[in-house]
Each structure stands twice: as structure tokens, then as C-alpha cells.
Amino acid sequence: MTDLDPRIARVAFNADGLVPAIIQQHDTGEVLMLGWMDAEALRRTLTEGRVTFWSRSRQEYWRKGDTSGHAQYVTGARLDCDGDTLLIRVEQVGAACHTGDRTCFDADDLAPATAEAPPTEAAEAP
């Protein structure tokens, strides 16, 4: 791809030419799913306003909602500090998960140990 969009040129794609894209509901912060994008999928996502992924299993592009009707409309896109992960904020219409669930992260609660963070100086100030 020549004349690469400068926004895409900053992305650190992995050895397979892919970058993980975390999909998040824009108004609630709910994490919906994770998908993979190559430069072309990212270009389509940034220019068309609908999320496009690269399917590693089928080796083809797929736009969320084209067959299911459960579409993702882009409201924002961010690159993390290392340039190797995307955060795509969307308006999700219908389910995000291929199982029909709202989010792909409803399945298994791993019941981790939890801890409270120590108070910050601002919290300790009178």
C-alpha cells in the first residue's frame, strides 16, 4: 500500500501484519469484543465509519453486521502509547459477540483475587 495514511503509518503491526482492536461501547465504556485488523481493515474503519476486521480463520475482510445486522458504528479511535493496540469506540447495534451475547466477555468469570489500591495523596488531603 503506497501513500499510507499517517494515522495508520504509526501503528506497530505484528509479524503477521495485524494489530488487536478492542471494541468498546462509546457511552458506557463496556468492552464488547476484540478483533484483528491489518492496515486495509483499519483504513476502511477510519474512512467508512463502520468497523472492519481481518478474519484470521477465513483470511478475508469482514464488516461487523453485514450478515448479522449487529453493526458497529465508529464514534472514535485511539492508538495506545506503544502503537500496538487499537481502541475503537462504537455505537453497537445488537449483539457484539458471535454467540448472540451483547459482549464477548460475559462467558467466564475467572474469579481473580482482588485488592484495593492504596489511597492517593489527593484522597488523603483534608
Side-chain angles (χ1 to χ4, degrees):
M1 185 181 293
T2 59
D3 300 324
L4 194 62
D5 182 318
R7 299 171 297 178
I8 297 170
R10 295 181 348 113
V11 177
F13 294 96
N14 69 17
D16 295 323
L18 301 173
V19 63
I22 300 164
I23 309 301
Q24 180 183 47
Q25 177 64 33
H26 75 97
D27 54 352
T28 65
E30 178 182 30
V31 176
L32 301 172
M33 62 175 288
L34 180 135
W36 292 89
M37 294 183 181
D38 66 1
E40 177 60 17
L42 179 55
R43 184 198 67 75
R44 292 180 189 188
T45 298
L46 295 176
T47 60
E48 297 173 2
R50 295 270 310 276
V51 179
T52 299
F53 298 102
W54 174 255
S55 171
R56 295 175 299 161
S57 60
R58 296 188 312 265
Q59 296 289 294
E60 65 185 18
Y61 295 103
W62 61 281
R63 191 169 70 168
K64 191 69 170 176
D66 280 354
T67 57
S68 68
H70 300 168
Q72 295 172 337
Y73 296 93
V74 177
T75 64
R78 309 281 307 191
L79 185 60
D80 80 338
C81 59
D82 296 321
D84 62 1
T85 304
L86 301 167
L87 175 64
I88 310 293
R89 295 176 56 94
V90 302
E91 176 64 40
Q92 177 69 46
V93 175
C97 189
H98 68 278
T99 64
D101 289 335
R102 166 85 180 155
T103 171
C104 292
F105 294 99
D106 279 345
D108 294 316
D109 183 348
L110 301 179
T114 59
E116 288 187 32
T120 62
E121 289 182 36
E124 295 172 357

